[in-house]
Amino acid sequence: MSVQPDITQQDLRHRSREIVDAVAEGQSFTLTRDGHPVGRLLPLRQPRRFVSRRGFAAGSRAAPAVDLDAFRADQDAMADPGPDDPYAR
């Protein structure tokens, strides 16, 4: 989690273009007045990017191979050996 730098109301007034440009690039700020936080300036979420089926397939080909036996062994090692009996308590 990144730290949100504090900016004063006066900073926002005098450096608004610089601050808005930073927000547009993904930076967040905590706005303060008289040393007390009063709000946050946050970038809007970027819209999801559509990935075509062809693009997804091309990216998948470059992905590392998965050893299914090792994957299953990891799952079995982390899972409980059986369901809990609610009446066994």
Side-chain angles (χ1 to χ4, degrees):
M1 182 178 230
S2 64
V3 175
Q4 295 179 357
D6 291 350
I7 57 169
T8 64
Q9 183 178 6
Q10 184 176 6
D11 283 340
L12 181 60
R13 187 170 38 246
H14 294 293
R15 300 174 34 222
S16 63
R17 181 178 185 91
E18 175 188 344
I19 292 167
V20 170
D21 287 346
V23 171
E25 293 175 8
Q27 177 68 51
S28 300
F29 295 94
T30 300
L31 181 63
T32 63
R33 182 191 299 157
D34 298 326
H36 301 287
V38 295
R40 288 191 210 126
L41 295 174
L42 304 170
L44 295 176
R45 286 194 312 189
Q46 297 296 319
R48 290 184 181 206
R49 193 177 122 219
F50 175 78
V51 178
S52 68
R53 182 179 294 194
R54 183 176 294 167
F56 179 79
S60 297
R61 280 191 295 273
V66 175
D67 180 352
L68 296 179
D69 292 330
F71 178 74
R72 184 62 176 173
D74 287 344
Q75 284 185 321
D76 290 341
M78 295 304 296
D80 289 335
D84 289 339
D85 182 359
Y87 301 105
R89 297 177 195 197

